[in-house]
Amino acid sequence: MRRQLVVMLKEPRPGRVKTRLARDIGPVAATWWVRHQTTRLLRRLRDPRWDLVLAVAPDVAGLSSRAWPDDRERMPQGPGNLGDRMARVMRTRPPGPVCIIGGDIPGITPAHIARAFASLGRNDAVFGPAPDGGYWLIGMKRTRAVPATFLQDVRWSTEHALADSRATLPDSRIGLVDTLRDVDTADDLRAP
């Protein structure tokens, strides 16, 4: 059973990606940042210890987009909110541990991902917290069924996202790994 690292990505088009960042720096600059950040991230996270899979949106355009490497498996994210889409990934991937990240975490390294997968050796799930109360990574060992209520009623984009998400995993051993920041605003770009 191979480890799978799934990166959730939106096709980088002005007005469609990083809308909060775009309000601060403009849609073209935000799109440029996404393209370059994603390119660096995907190059950095290629590693023989896991399969790197792209979960793309929009579903049809994302599957054929030239914005990402052609040699990576792609899967459509499908409809729904972020929780619906991540739960779908957890339920539909082949057997084995799965970690999901976004493409907007500048500081992530293969060592961060390796620690998350290692945490799944002794836990049912793992989160990589973010300073704003959210998280940059969610992972599951997947040795039992994903709960029916997994990631439902989460208050996304709030300081409650991590706590709400943890609450959807009752009776699970949950590990926490490194705290990293994602980029949502111009202030996040300037943060150390």
Side-chain angles (χ1 to χ4, degrees):
M1 293 191 298
R2 289 278 298 163
R3 295 171 169 178
Q4 301 164 71
L5 175 62
V6 178
V7 184
M8 305 282 283
L9 298 170
K10 286 185 184 176
E11 187 174 29
R13 298 241 171 132
R16 294 184 141 186
V17 293
K18 290 300 188 192
T19 53
R20 286 190 285 167
L21 178 62
R23 283 194 295 265
D24 294 342
I25 67 173
V28 172
T31 303
W32 180 91
W33 183 85
V34 167
R35 281 184 178 270
H36 291 276
Q37 163 60 24
T38 302
T39 298
R40 289 187 303 269
L41 178 86
L42 295 177
R43 189 177 304 129
R44 193 168 52 243
L45 295 182
R46 286 178 185 257
D47 194 292
R49 294 174 287 180
W50 51 76
D51 294 332
L52 183 62
V53 178
L54 311 181
V56 299
D59 293 349
V60 175
L63 291 174
S64 61
S65 175
R66 296 185 339 198
W68 308 299
D70 287 334
D71 64 338
R72 297 290 106 188
E73 178 187 350
R74 296 182 192 191
M75 64 178 289
Q77 289 184 19
N81 67 30
L82 180 59
D84 297 332
R85 292 178 280 137
M86 289 195 300
R88 186 176 302 110
V89 167
M90 289 295 183
R91 288 187 179 105
T92 62
R93 293 304 304 158
V98 171
C99 285
I100 301 172
I101 64 170
D104 60 351
I105 308 113
I108 195 171
T109 67
H112 292 113
I113 300 301
R115 280 192 288 277
F117 279 120
S119 178
L120 290 175
R122 57 192 175 277
N123 295 295
D124 302 310
V126 62
F127 287 91
D132 62 4
Y135 49 95
W136 60 272
L137 176 141
I138 183 172
M140 294 182 77
K141 189 184 296 188
R142 299 183 332 136
T143 53
R144 55 185 177 170
V146 175
T149 58
F150 179 57
L151 299 180
Q152 290 184 2
D153 299 321
V154 173
R155 292 170 282 181
W156 298 108
S157 300
T158 73
E159 68 275 9
H160 306 289
L162 176 56
D164 290 352
S165 296
R166 288 181 69 160
T168 70
L169 291 166
D171 305 318
S172 294
R173 286 186 320 272
I174 298 174
L176 296 175
V177 292
D178 308 271
T179 298
L180 296 176
R181 65 176 178 78
D182 58 354
V183 173
D184 292 319
T185 66
D187 288 342
D188 295 332
L189 281 177
R190 292 187 284 270

